[in-house]
Amino acid sequence: VSEATYETAIIGGGIVGLATALALVRRGTGPLIVLEAEGRLAAHQTGHNSGVIHSGIYYRPGSLKALNCTRGREALYAFCQEHAVPYERCGKLIVATQESELPALDALAERGRVNGLEGVRRLDRAETRQFEPHVSAVAALHVPQTGIVDFAVVAQAYARVAAQQGAVLRTSAQLRQVRSRDGLFELSTSGGTVRARHLINCAGLQSDRVARMCGARPRLQIVPFRGEYYELVPARRSLVRHLIYPVPDPRFPFLGVHFTRRIGGQVEAGPNAVLAWSRHGYRRGNVSWRDAGSLLTSLGFWRMARRHWRMALAEYRRSWSKAHYVRALQLLVPEVTSDDLVPAGSGVRAQALDERGQLVDDFCIQSAERAVHVLNAPSPAATASLSIGEEVARTACAQFYGA
Ligand SMILES: Cc1cc2nc3c(=O)[nH]c(=O)nc-3n(C[C@H](O)[C@H](O)[C@H](O)COP(=O)(O)OP(=O)(O)OC[C@H]3O[C@@H](n4cnc5c(N)ncnc54)[C@H](O)[C@@H]3O)c2cc1C
């Protein structure tokens, strides 16, 4: 292998790409390069999320999400401890605000038990108030495994360790074209050409396009959903001690607006889940004609729209009207007012949609010739990253070396 030729190229320097790099360098699979489009690592989903280390309570038993979240969560806590990344295992409440939500709350507790969570406790109204004095609840679940961390800091730490073990990390290198020649991929990027024997696609919001560039025909496409946050003004942070979540609507992969204490002490509210017309649509008015066009010309999109238009309208209403947003938050903490909240940025989720118009619920990792594509890695993929990295590395080694 000559100097400019790598055994493996990973496309995407987010937390999944970097965790995969870590898993591969540990296996000693040969020269490895991570190609990142932006001028810095963790520039998209990894640097724009809620910073919650999820417990694994929500996910269908046996799913990749359930398996990798519970495994990845503990591996992440251990990694943060070992590499001095600040984190806190603070626990969270999932709150039923009306009697009709109690069966769903009990179903979640049972799911948590099946997923191996110990110590999840059902709290009555008075016990809930001991944890969170300002919460309005009929009952709640206390989930002790949940924590908080800054995932951009985690990703930097993965990058540091991977680089120490020989991985090359190249930023400002957006993959633009892939040619296959003499058993090698020739990767044209905005930062020059790189040759690699194998390719692993961890391109998040662009993962379907990168897969197509490589000649794969994924039967799904990425739909961007923006999540907009507010933040409690410092004088009102005492309204929330830890993390307060609603009982989620099982028809959607999103958790509903919630309160999250950040590792830096701020308290965030959100995120909502608004269909974005640009894969980098961090602001309301952002439209990319290419991204909007690929949605509007896909049958899957229209099937999804027909099924979920009511929910989409409610999300748009909460996006455009602070009063509507605040009303959703007041279901959890009635004392919170519009004056207590200031806008606090946003993130864009990469959510895969299949041809039938279904939002793909589970993580999706597909093998192709000399390549592996990570085609759906939404929340809790940051929590699960070390386990997903292992899973991708295992899939890659089986595919590339039959091992
Ligand atoms: C609003 C929001 C809240 C969330 N909250 C949580 C949470 O609390 N807990 C949790 O566990 N998860 C959460 N998530 C999910 C989590 O952030 C993602 O699952 C995770 O960051 C995915 O990592 P990734 O590496 O796949 O994607 P990304 O971080 O998006 O990385 C993909 C990278 O690929 C690069 N790339 C794209 N195209 C190319 C190209 N052509 N060439 C080179 N590079 C390219 C991009 O620039 C990007 O850096 C949240 C996500 C969002 C958006």
Side-chain angles (χ1 to χ4, degrees), residues 31 118 291 303 356:
E118 285 172 13
D291 295 345
R303 288 179 171 145
R356 293 166 304 155

Side-chain angles (χ1 to χ4, degrees), residues 11-17 35-38 42-46 48-52 54 151 173-175 202-206 210 213 227 229 271 347-349 377-383:
I11 314 303
I15 203 163
V16 172
L35 298 169
E36 166 54 47
E38 305 292 349
H44 289 295
Q45 296 175 92
T46 301
H48 294 85
N49 58 45
S50 302
V52 175
H54 285 296
F151 284 115
Q174 182 187 29
L175 182 67
C202 301
L205 284 150
Q206 309 291 341
V210 167
M213 242 186 252
Y229 292 91
V348 183
R349 304 172 182 85
S379 185
T383 302

Side-chain angles (χ1 to χ4, degrees), residues 12-39:
I15 203 163
V16 172
L18 294 166
T20 302
L22 257 187
L24 283 175
V25 289
R26 283 183 180 150
R27 280 172 163 77
T29 51
L32 170 75
I33 187 166
V34 177
L35 298 169
E36 166 54 47
E38 305 292 349

Side-chain angles (χ1 to χ4, degrees), residues 83-394:
H83 296 275
V85 175
Y87 71 95
E88 208 184 313
R89 197 192 279 256
C90 56
K92 85 166 174 183
L93 291 186
I94 304 174
V95 168
T97 57
Q98 39 194 323
E99 300 276 337
S100 60
E101 290 176 335
L102 293 178
L105 196 70
D106 290 336
L108 270 182
E110 174 57 15
R111 191 166 258 202
R113 198 191 58 72
V114 177
N115 285 344
L117 297 185
E118 285 172 13
V120 173
R121 235 172 21 106
R122 171 84 122 80
L123 309 178
D124 64 20
R125 193 187 299 262
E127 289 168 325
T128 304
R129 287 237 167 188
Q130 279 168 12
F131 275 97
E132 291 287 355
H134 301 278
V135 130
S136 157
V138 178
L141 287 184
H142 178 249
V143 187
Q145 288 83 359
T146 307
I148 52 176
V149 75
D150 182 336
F151 284 115
V153 176
V154 174
Q156 292 296 347
Y158 290 178
R160 220 171 27 247
V161 178
Q164 279 160 4
Q165 298 186 24
V168 175
L169 308 174
R170 191 169 296 169
T171 52
S172 303
Q174 182 187 29
L175 182 67
R176 292 196 168 146
Q177 202 186 15
V178 179
R179 270 187 298 262
S180 200
R181 190 173 292 171
D182 304 330
L184 290 177
F185 288 113
E186 205 172 272
L187 307 171
S188 308
T189 80
S190 51
T193 298
V194 168
R195 270 177 291 279
R197 204 178 295 286
H198 306 114
L199 180 145
I200 301 182
N201 165 13
C202 301
L205 284 150
Q206 309 291 341
S207 54
D208 54 344
R209 290 183 179 149
V210 167
R212 275 187 213 105
M213 242 186 252
C214 299
R217 292 278 161 268
R219 307 189 66 160
L220 32 82
Q221 72 179 119
I222 292 294
V223 178
F225 284 95
R226 184 174 52 253
E228 297 154 330
Y229 292 91
Y230 284 94
E231 191 182 310
L232 283 179
V233 293
R236 298 289 276 167
R237 283 180 190 162
S238 57
L239 286 176
V240 174
R241 284 190 183 162
H242 298 112
L243 312 180
I244 307 172
Y245 280 65
V247 176
D249 183 334
R251 290 171 301 163
F252 301 101
F254 313 118
L255 298 177
V257 290
H258 46 264
F259 289 95
T260 312
R261 193 153 54 77
R262 304 293 307 217
I263 199 75
Q266 309 89 322
V267 176
E268 280 186 351
N272 54 3
V274 191
L275 181 73
W277 295 103
S278 163
R279 294 187 185 197
H280 293 175
Y282 291 96
R283 289 166 193 269
R284 268 201 297 256
N286 288 162
V287 178
S288 144
W289 297 116
R290 179 184 183 204
D291 295 345
S294 54
L295 287 179
L296 294 172
T297 53
S298 101
L299 203 56
F301 171 78
W302 289 107
R303 288 179 171 145
M304 174 187 77
R306 198 172 55 215
R307 197 170 303 132
H308 294 313
W309 63 271
R310 267 195 202 89
M311 180 62 139
L313 281 184
E315 289 290 352
Y316 274 117
R317 208 175 305 130
R318 271 193 288 275
S319 171
W320 287 97
S321 155
K322 187 178 181 186
H324 276 95
Y325 201 113
V326 173
R327 233 167 276 152
L329 294 170
Q330 283 170 336
L331 291 175
L332 300 171
V333 177
E335 284 168 65
V336 77
T337 67
S338 188
D339 291 343
D340 298 337
L341 294 160
V342 290
S346 65
V348 183
R349 304 172 182 85
Q351 171 61 53
L353 176 75
D354 69 18
E355 292 167 334
R356 293 166 304 155
Q358 306 274 8
L359 298 171
V360 178
D361 191 44
D362 209 358
F363 297 148
C364 176
I365 302 167
Q366 281 181 11
S367 305
E369 205 194 332
R370 292 185 290 116
V372 173
H373 302 285
V374 179
L375 296 170
N376 197 41
S379 185
T383 302
S385 51
L386 287 170
S387 180
I388 298 178
E390 284 296 328
E391 184 100 24
V392 175
R394 232 186 345 264

